[in-house]
Amino acid sequence: GQQVMQIPQYQHVQEGEDFTTYCNSSTTLSNIQWYKQRPGGHPVFLIQLVKSGEVKKQKRLTFQFGEAKKNSSLHITATQTTDVGTYFCAGGNSGSARQLTFGSGTQLTVLP
Amino acid sequence: GAVVSQHPSWVICKSGTSVKIECRSLDFQATTMFWYRQFPKQSLMLMATSNEGSKATYEQGVEKDKFLINHASLTLSTLTVTSAHPEDSSFYICSARAGAGAGEQYFGPGTRLTVT
């Protein structure tokens, strides 16, 4: 079945430093979504990428979808303490159920 | 934005009993609802996909007779953990999607189940 790997598992950064998490799928994806889960909370949708090579920005967050639609990255510029949480990528398939396969997540800690 | 509620938010039950968890889409009709399980500091593992009015599709390794899913309406899906055992203790999260496409999923706040 489809597998989605994500690295790193943990990342500690000093406030103001940049942060990147990478996502790699074993199969070609129809789309990729990114979610953020705060400690004790539930996943919250951040963005969806659909097109090969697509790049989207949300303020300090930059999302990329690889040309082969098998990998993706999330880059945060100048991290803030409010960025703390676990970031999950989720790969979508083209099947009828349109399920998501979640990556293992990257837990980000931002030190003040 | 779209809101999904889950009830209860936490539950403690004795081994051998059954527990029902409700997932409701409050301000939209959910064509499809998903049930996930999440262990501490781990990712979300899809358990099953349910479409309103039809039988749920279970992921490999998930016992359909143990985890009963009912999606009776476009705003309500229920997950019943039958004959619960301590190893069923986990964080169960539902999500709902409005359309049939590959759009975002709106997650409920989750239910923490502890089986003693």
Side-chain angles (χ1 to χ4, degrees), chain A residues 6-14 16-22 34-36 46 60-63 73-80 83-88 105-110:
Chain A
Q6 201 173 341
I7 58 168
Q9 188 175 2
Y10 302 98
Q11 184 80 59
H12 292 190
V13 299
Q14 207 71 39
E17 292 181 339
D18 293 353
F19 158 76
T20 306
T21 172
Y22 301 90
W34 285 90
Y35 291 80
K36 177 182 178 181
L46 293 177
R60 295 178 294 105
L61 277 61
T62 303
F63 304 84
S73 66
L74 157 60
H75 179 81
I76 302 179
T77 304
T79 55
Q80 300 175 358
D83 295 326
V84 165
T86 300
Y87 292 85
F88 292 99
T106 296
Q107 186 175 323
L108 173 64
T109 301
V110 180

Side-chain angles (χ1 to χ4, degrees), chain A residues 2 11 17 25 34 37-38 43-44 48 52 69 80 88 94-95 98 101 106:
Chain A
Q2 183 180 84
Q11 184 80 59
E17 292 181 339
S25 169
W34 285 90
Q37 185 175 22
R38 293 183 184 274
V44 174
Q48 174 174 274
S52 168
K69 300 182 75 173
Q80 300 175 358
F88 292 99
S94 55
R98 305 283 184 173
T101 301
T106 296

Side-chain angles (χ1 to χ4, degrees), chain B residues 43-111:
Chain B
S43 188
L44 290 88
M45 300 301 296
L46 179 66
M47 297 176 65
T49 303
S50 74
N51 293 294
E52 184 265 338
S54 61
K55 289 185 178 180
T57 303
Y58 290 81
E59 293 301 296
Q60 194 171 9
V62 178
E63 301 175 56
K64 62 175 76 174
D65 294 331
K66 182 169 183 62
F67 298 99
L68 301 178
I69 292 172
N70 185 289
H71 193 159
S73 75
L74 285 171
T75 59
L76 174 64
S77 176
T78 61
L79 166 67
T80 301
V81 183
T82 63
S83 187
H85 289 105
E87 57 265 30
D88 297 325
S89 299
S90 189
F91 192 51
Y92 292 87
I93 309 179
C94 72
S95 71
R97 191 178 63 209
E104 67 182 276
Q105 294 181 17
Y106 302 98
F107 283 83
T111 297

